[in-house]
Amino acid sequence: MATGSAKSFYLQIIAAVVAGAALGHVYPEFGTALQPLGDAFVRAIRMVVAPIIFVTVVLGIAKLRDSAEVGRISLKAIVYFEVLTTLAMVIGFAVGHFVAPGEGMNIDPATLSRASVGNYVAKAATQDMVGFFVNIIPNTIVGAFASGDTLSVLLVAVLCGLALVQLGPRSSGLLVLFEDLGAMLFRVLGLIMRLAPIGVFGAVAFAIGRYGIGSLAQLGKLVLCFYLTLLAFIGLVLGPIVRLTGLRLWALARYIREEIFIALGTSTTEPVLPLLLVKLERLGCRRSVVGLTLPLGYAFNLDGTSMYFTLAIAFIAQALNIPLSFGDYVQMLAVLLLVSKGAATAPGAGFITLAATLSTVSGKIPVEGIVIILGVDRFMSEARAIGNLFGNTVATVFVAWWEKALDVEQARRVLAREDRAPATPLALDPAQDALRRSA
């Protein structure tokens, strides 16, 4: 796709966000009725996410020809994820404690109703660390694709990739098949992405029409505090990490601007996963690193969601006039480090994990307290999605640099627009892409 076409697509996404917000505000009932547009777009993207992850990871591992390298990349990625998500949680607790956005609300816990959050509490009761890891293993290989669970597909892909490594030259025919299959899937993705502005328009119109901009004013201090803290985290934590690799955060943000607006409109990062796989490889990250790190990050590296958990807990405690000691913060942080790994990328999943945390740490904050932030959770989920998107993009670039699998000069050319390759896979030519990957 030409540079002009990429710019036009970017402007269409921005226009869709603005138009959707305006329509939902002026005509809330009509905006709410447009929910199927956003839902249909997200479902269409999810339709191809699992097979794209599978093909990308299998090819990446098969071309490594070294199973030890797979373990090394995965270990580096997980170490990075744990450090960054823990830091995000600590920052959330610190900001919540010192800024105290919930002070002065003076809500009586006895007045809280469990009915409005009963569904979240019920789902939270089934969410634990053991179940999370057991559920990664699908009942059948086909079942992994049917469920669409990212980690289940990733597990199957890793096993198949390692099997192809062991087959050696006998796997050459399958590698060609997977190359062609990948080219076809990205072409399908390109067709779906042409509908992105319509999907984003419907999703934003529904969110504003259903919840109303006015609901932001009720808990505006919390929302503003979360957005500002997240921006500070991106600039002051992720920024220096990007600089360590020899690149700049602002240039990287411009490179993924379409994905940022799609995540903003749909409140989830799942629709942009296939796009990021392509863009990060074009940026100069080795395919094997991208294929392993990015899908893993979608389950283990949720920076925006991690910060939301701790800030929201501090806010609820302050609103209910419940003092939290240093020991309470440490205990909740320990629980979150476990249960947060089960937080999915779909809208509302973070709310379920928050309920699970309050249920686990019993005797301090009533789980009914989450009803206080229910009205603005949808707006905060948009910020969570942006934080998770930035976090996983930076994580993949950093792990590639750490693994010496990042072509920094190519990345600089791409970010400086000296490399005129398409910015998105909307018009990816399968034959050219296959030749480029085999080079």
Side-chain angles (χ1 to χ4, degrees), residues 421-437:
T424 64
L426 295 180
L428 188 63
D429 182 86
Q432 292 181 356
D433 191 54
L435 288 174
R436 177 185 61 78
R437 291 183 177 185

Side-chain angles (χ1 to χ4, degrees), residues 140 168 220 246 252 272 281 290 336 374 421 428:
T140 64
L252 190 62
V272 301
E281 186 182 345
V290 175
L336 280 168
L374 183 61
L428 188 63

Side-chain angles (χ1 to χ4, degrees), residues 174-435:
L174 284 174
L175 291 178
V176 173
L177 175 62
F178 282 130
E179 289 280 8
D180 292 340
L181 180 60
M184 181 195 70
L185 288 171
F186 279 112
R187 177 64 70 176
V188 172
L189 174 65
L191 295 174
I192 296 173
M193 283 305 301
R194 295 183 186 279
L195 303 176
I198 299 176
V200 170
F201 171 75
V204 174
F206 164 74
I208 301 299
R210 173 71 178 273
Y211 301 102
I213 294 178
S215 63
L216 286 172
Q218 300 171 17
L219 298 168
K221 190 174 180 181
L222 171 64
V223 176
L224 181 62
C225 185
F226 180 51
Y227 272 78
L228 292 179
T229 304
L230 190 59
L231 287 174
F233 177 82
I234 292 173
L236 301 179
V237 177
L238 298 184
I241 293 175
V242 175
R243 287 293 295 154
L244 189 63
T245 68
L247 305 178
R248 294 184 180 275
L249 180 65
W250 175 246
L252 190 62
R254 282 179 54 84
Y255 184 62
I256 60 169
R257 60 190 181 276
E258 292 95 344
E259 289 73 26
I260 292 173
F261 277 97
I262 291 173
L264 178 66
T266 60
S267 295
T268 174
T269 57
E270 192 170 7
V272 301
L273 174 57
L275 305 177
L276 286 178
L277 288 170
V278 173
K279 280 195 168 182
L280 289 172
E281 186 182 345
R282 281 183 174 152
L283 190 65
C285 300
R286 187 189 302 160
R287 177 193 291 187
S288 56
V289 177
V290 175
L292 285 172
T293 305
L294 194 58
L296 273 176
Y298 264 56
F300 294 98
N301 187 46
L302 305 178
D303 295 339
T305 303
S306 298
M307 185 179 296
Y308 160 79
F309 289 148
T310 51
L311 182 58
I313 289 173
F315 175 84
I316 293 171
Q318 292 157 9
L320 297 176
N321 294 319
I322 299 174
L324 294 178
S325 66
F326 178 76
D328 293 328
Y329 284 126
V330 172
Q331 181 185 10
M332 292 184 194
L333 180 63
V335 172
L336 280 168
L337 286 173
L338 296 177
V339 301
S340 66
K341 299 302 181 286
T345 52
F351 212 62
I352 295 170
T353 303
L354 180 60
T357 303
L358 295 181
S359 298
T360 303
V361 188
S362 57
K364 200 67 180 181
I365 304 176
V367 70
E368 291 86 357
I370 62 176
V371 73
I372 300 173
I373 61 173
L374 183 61
V376 294
D377 180 71
R378 174 74 188 199
F379 296 99
M380 296 178 73
S381 70
E382 296 167 351
R384 294 198 299 265
I386 299 300
N388 296 340
L389 174 63
F390 266 103
N392 283 310
T393 300
V394 172
T396 305
V397 172
F398 179 80
V399 172
W401 172 82
W402 189 4
E403 184 64 16
K404 295 181 173 57
L406 172 65
D407 188 333
V408 178
E409 292 305 318
Q410 178 180 332
R412 287 172 177 167
R413 288 196 304 270
V414 171
L415 295 181
R417 295 174 178 255
E418 294 177 14
D419 187 334
R420 297 299 180 180
T424 64
L426 295 180
L428 188 63
D429 182 86
Q432 292 181 356
D433 191 54
L435 288 174

